[in-house]
Amino acid sequence: MSKRLLITGGAGFIGGHLVRHIFRAHPDYKVRVLDALTYAGSRENLAEFEGDPRFEFVHANILDIDRHRDAFDGMTDVIHLAAETHNDRAILECGGFVIADVLGTQRMLQAALEAKVERFVHVSTCEVYGSIEKGQFKEEDAFHPNQPYSASKAGGDLIARAYHRTHGLPILIVRPVNNLGPNQFPEKLIPLMISRALADEPLPIYGDGKQIREWIYVEDCCAAIDTVLHKGIPGEAYNIGDEIERDNLTVVQTLLAMLGKPEGKIEFVKDRPGHDHRYALDVTKVRSLGWKAKVGFEEALQRTVDWYLANREWLETIQSRSAQHREFLKKWYDDRMAQTS
Ligand code: NAD
């Protein structure tokens, strides 16, 4: 049956790719994106869908969902991506992360419960499990988040679980590894390093750069989210990844080689406090639903580098907006934090 999807955070990095994936995989579906357009969200990420009768955009904050209940009108399912997502900023302004990622998630869950949606996919992260030296985390493993961002996401993940257990809301939780691909705001490792390398600026790497992350091409992640939406069992969580491990230094060296830039600008800086050493997920469960990743790491990185080279205007526009947005957001959250304390 044709679905009508409410996608929160759809103007962000994964969100724009997810809308494209949904329309390609299910041309008869309708999508309504709800997004506050923080510094990380951009209508440019959704430009190709403007005017498409299957697509709608609602400019709203998930925290204010009570004032935007009509966003749920006619929607069958929800995919909840909206969140504050940058680890470094969470160290500086943790309150905003707790408010958006925990309280914001709870408000969406409550609204979805009242709207009686058929399925609610909550997008969590691999980081909720914490660091692992050997082996891989399975979905039922305990959470040991070490950073304010991961802890906020863990809070949202647990509230989502509780809404299933307590209220019977048909929740599906996904926990993806690091995504890479076009349209990512240039504060995360790969777009940050690409944008700085293009400007011949120093390339700061935390500690010795030997922290290991798992990577997945954003289109593969969107296909996995779609698979879980349709084939997952409500109440269950699904890790999303493809067992591709790379240390941060290797990632930066590889992208510099692709850009034809020297490694001399790499600067090792004091490590991030609480920095996890290694993330690794067991992805047997999502694969058992029939999903399989299609793009390997080097190909994904090459596609990403090529996109940033061809879209320098996007990079400049989004960078120039961010300072303004940051100020606005800080005030917005300060006001709300004052209200909740
Ligand atoms: P992003 O930062 O690029 O986009 C987040 C989007 O959410 C933006 O469009 C922003 O405007 C919107 N938003 C933020 N706060 C909001 C609020 N209060 N109300 C409404 N909209 C709001 O993030 P992303 O990388 O696309 O990540 C999407 C989701 O996937 C997040 O929940 C993130 O935690 C999770 N995730 C991301 C990755 C990754 O590698 N990018 C990995 C695992 C999990």
Side-chain angles (χ1 to χ4, degrees), residues 109-309:
L109 293 163
Q110 183 62 33
L113 184 68
E114 289 165 20
K116 298 187 171 54
V117 299
E118 289 168 16
R119 285 180 168 227
F120 185 113
V121 178
H122 173 69
V123 182
S124 180
T125 167
C126 66
E127 299 187 31
V128 296
Y129 299 112
S131 197
I132 187 166
E133 280 311 303
K134 284 194 181 134
Q136 297 168 320
F137 286 117
K138 286 189 190 311
E139 286 83 352
E140 60 274 21
D141 284 338
F143 290 177
H144 293 101
N146 294 314
Q147 304 233 251
Y149 164 68
S150 350
S152 304
K153 290 295 293 183
D157 189 313
L158 292 171
I159 290 285
R161 181 177 187 274
Y163 263 77
H164 172 72
R165 293 291 177 107
T166 307
H167 299 295
L169 187 64
I171 299 283
L172 298 124
I173 296 174
V174 291
R175 301 191 186 122
V177 299
N178 276 9
N179 279 233
L180 78 157
N183 299 84
Q184 189 171 30
F185 188 82
E187 63 185 355
K188 310 280 167 61
L189 182 71
I190 290 177
L192 176 73
M193 291 298 159
I194 294 174
S195 65
R196 292 185 74 90
L198 288 175
D200 292 318
E201 288 171 349
L203 306 167
I205 300 223
Y206 280 132
D208 59 5
K210 293 292 176 197
Q211 306 86 356
I212 295 165
R213 298 290 176 264
E214 268 197 87
W215 293 95
I216 188 166
Y217 192 50
V218 65
E219 289 180 11
D220 281 329
C221 181
C222 292
I225 293 172
D226 182 15
T227 302
V228 171
L229 169 71
H230 289 89
K231 298 184 180 166
I233 300 167
E236 296 282 316
Y238 296 85
N239 291 338
I240 296 179
D242 197 31
E243 301 179 286
I244 298 172
E245 296 187 30
R246 295 286 184 283
D247 69 57
N248 289 345
L249 181 58
T250 303
V251 170
V252 175
Q253 287 168 330
T254 312
L255 71 83
L256 288 176
M258 289 174 177
L259 286 168
K261 294 281 184 182
E263 291 179 17
K265 292 273 182 188
I266 291 178
E267 280 181 14
F268 294 96
V269 298
K270 193 168 179 279
D271 207 353
R272 179 200 278 159
H275 209 175
D276 289 324
H277 182 250
R278 176 174 174 263
Y279 299 134
L281 299 186
D282 182 312
V283 289
T284 312
K285 200 167 163 184
V286 70
R287 285 180 177 155
S288 75
L289 298 179
W291 169 84
K292 198 167 172 281
K294 291 184 179 152
V295 184
F297 179 74
E298 275 69 25
E299 189 189 337
L301 191 58
Q302 187 66 63
R303 287 190 196 184
T304 307
V305 165
D306 290 348
W307 186 86
Y308 279 92
L309 283 172

Side-chain angles (χ1 to χ4, degrees), residues 9 11-15 34-38 40-41 60-63 81-85 100 123-125 149 153 176-179 184 188 333:
F13 164 50
I14 297 178
L34 184 148
D35 199 296
L37 295 178
T38 71
N61 197 303
I62 51 171
L63 287 151
L81 295 154
E84 288 295 338
T85 62
V123 182
S124 180
T125 167
Y149 164 68
K153 290 295 293 183
V177 299
N178 276 9
N179 279 233
Q184 189 171 30
K188 310 280 167 61
Y333 280 130

